[in-house]
Amino acid sequence: MIKTADLCDDFADQLKVCTLELKSYGGKKRFSGPISTVKVFEDNVLVKQALETIPTGHVLVVDGGGSRNCALLGDRLGAIAEERQLSGIIIYGCVRDTADLAEQNIGVMAIGSNPLKSIKKGEGESNTLVQFGDVDWKPGHYVYADEDGIVIAENELPVKN
């Protein structure tokens, strides 16, 4: 299993470390993969569209503007990600249905939880550079996440299992 601490030991010069501490909500505590992105604010329509269309194995990075006013992901969207075998979801925003997310075989990290659902206007951007946690999240770059944190590399790293 890939550990971010080991990646930092071996590839520190190739990594950016996310300085925002996110909480793990999914059943998988460690996950990695190519980055796909959406940028939204209190609206999860594009989150659902991305989960339904991005390639298997990808990590969806959601820039929700850090809002704690509502959730951008719950058990239904988590089930879509699990069914499509996505690697994980990282949200600069909140989730809900946390007990159910913990049972799903998907990595989910977010700043917190809120039981209120989001609005449904479909506003935002997809597949674009997003920025939070002192890092640039670029589509196609690689993210590695575990209990110690999150690191980003421009390319997939040649890791030993």
Side-chain angles (χ1 to χ4, degrees):
M1 185 57 77
I2 297 170
K3 292 174 53 181
T4 58
D6 291 345
L7 292 176
C8 287
D9 290 349
D10 296 341
F11 304 102
D13 59 332
Q14 299 174 48
L15 297 174
K16 299 291 183 198
V17 178
C18 177
T19 59
L20 181 65
E21 190 169 341
L22 299 168
K23 183 177 177 185
S24 178
Y25 290 97
K28 286 173 53 178
K29 301 303 177 200
R30 298 178 181 184
F31 59 93
S32 62
I35 295 171
S36 292
T37 66
V38 295
K39 184 174 185 173
V40 297
F41 190 74
E42 299 178 4
D43 181 341
N44 74 347
V45 171
L46 294 182
V47 175
K48 182 179 182 196
Q49 287 176 359
L51 292 173
E52 293 172 337
T53 58
I54 66 173
T56 297
H58 274 231
V59 175
L60 180 62
V61 176
V62 179
D63 180 354
S67 173
R68 293 181 178 270
N69 295 331
C70 64
L72 294 174
L73 178 100
D75 61 342
R76 290 180 182 174
L77 297 189
I80 292 169
E82 180 182 34
E83 181 180 301
R84 296 203 57 248
Q85 298 178 356
L86 302 181
S87 184
I89 307 158
I90 297 172
I91 302 177
Y92 184 39
C94 290
V95 297
R96 68 185 204 163
D97 304 313
T98 59
D100 296 315
L101 289 174
E103 298 296 317
Q104 295 174 338
N105 187 29
I106 185 78
V108 178
M109 298 182 90
I111 62 173
S113 62
N114 185 319
L116 185 65
K117 67 181 179 180
S118 75
I119 58 173
K120 312 281 188 230
K121 291 184 179 178
E123 296 175 353
E125 301 174 51
S126 297
N127 207 30
T128 185
L129 168 73
V130 297
Q131 298 172 303
F132 61 88
D134 296 325
V135 293
D136 292 341
W137 304 83
K138 295 181 182 176
H141 284 192
Y142 277 73
V143 61
Y144 301 86
D146 68 9
E147 300 88 342
D148 289 331
I150 302 170
V151 296
I152 294 97
E154 288 187 22
N155 301 297
E156 186 173 15
L157 298 173
V159 294
K160 310 176 252 344
N161 283 328

